[in-house]
Amino acid sequence: YGPLGHSRYQEYAAHISESSGQLLRSAEDALAVTETMSAVMADRLAGRCERVAAGGLVREAWASLGLTDSAVKLSISNCAACDIPCERRATNQALRHLLREAAARAPAGGTVEVRGRRRNGARSIEIRVARGSAQAAAPLSDTAAQPNAGPFPLAGSSLRVMLARLLLEMQGAALS
């Protein structure tokens, strides 16, 4: 590649850095899935479940993605009064996947909107991508790109959304 300091070395170093970040995220995914599955298999999930403020969990997941300075912004509403019973690590990992997917689908200057809801004792977190002031927010789901996909993810679904589904369903939650 030529002498040290050549632009090809910088490109190579950047590629190594990016690849190591992807490897670390994959290892975190494997750890979260394995941890959740082992807890379910050992029937200890109830002991690991805790009530967590949804807003704090969403902010924590967003901050860990390093998207705070990106062109995509985060908007959280009604999550302060919404606490969710969950296994913290697996839920945080699922939120990270969903928020990263939403940020990837958002245009520059767009907003990822997260809204907490409480109905009849049930709690939910809704994630939408606001595409701009003239367009309505679009829901984020593994079937959003294919409206007739039904409850099962199709080949075009994002791996991030499928992993989030797995992490949530292992806790008895649902992703729709």
Side-chain angles (χ1 to χ4, degrees), residues 1-161:
Y1 289 124
L4 284 176
H6 189 271
S7 63
R8 295 290 294 183
Y9 283 109
Q10 293 172 348
E11 179 183 326
Y12 181 64
H15 178 68
I16 289 174
S17 177
E18 181 181 314
S19 297
S20 65
Q22 290 173 347
L23 181 61
L24 178 61
R25 285 190 295 277
S26 295
E28 289 173 341
D29 290 340
L31 177 62
V33 169
T34 303
E35 182 179 46
T36 303
M37 288 176 65
S38 66
V40 169
M41 299 293 274
D43 199 27
R44 293 182 300 192
L45 188 59
R48 299 168 52 111
C49 190
E50 60 182 289
R51 285 206 174 280
V52 181
L57 197 58
V58 169
R59 280 186 204 85
E60 181 182 316
W62 183 262
S64 70
L65 295 176
L67 298 174
T68 53
D69 294 332
S70 75
V72 178
K73 300 301 176 202
L74 177 68
S75 169
I76 301 175
S77 62
N78 300 333
C79 284
C82 188
D83 59 329
I84 54 173
C86 65
E87 195 281 303
R88 185 182 192 93
R89 180 184 295 197
T91 304
N92 182 293
Q93 193 72 19
L95 282 171
R96 288 168 62 180
H97 284 301
L98 293 172
L99 292 171
R100 185 175 295 282
E101 182 71 16
R105 292 184 185 194
T111 302
V112 173
E113 298 176 348
V114 180
R115 181 174 297 144
R117 296 190 185 270
R118 294 177 78 166
R119 282 190 206 131
N120 302 327
R123 293 161 177 84
S124 66
I125 298 175
E126 185 177 277
I127 301 174
R128 293 181 170 268
V129 176
R131 302 192 189 288
S133 59
Q135 294 179 331
L140 175 67
S141 70
D142 59 349
T143 57
Q146 301 158 8
N148 297 321
F152 302 103
L154 298 177
S157 296
S158 166
L159 177 61
R160 290 185 287 243
V161 175

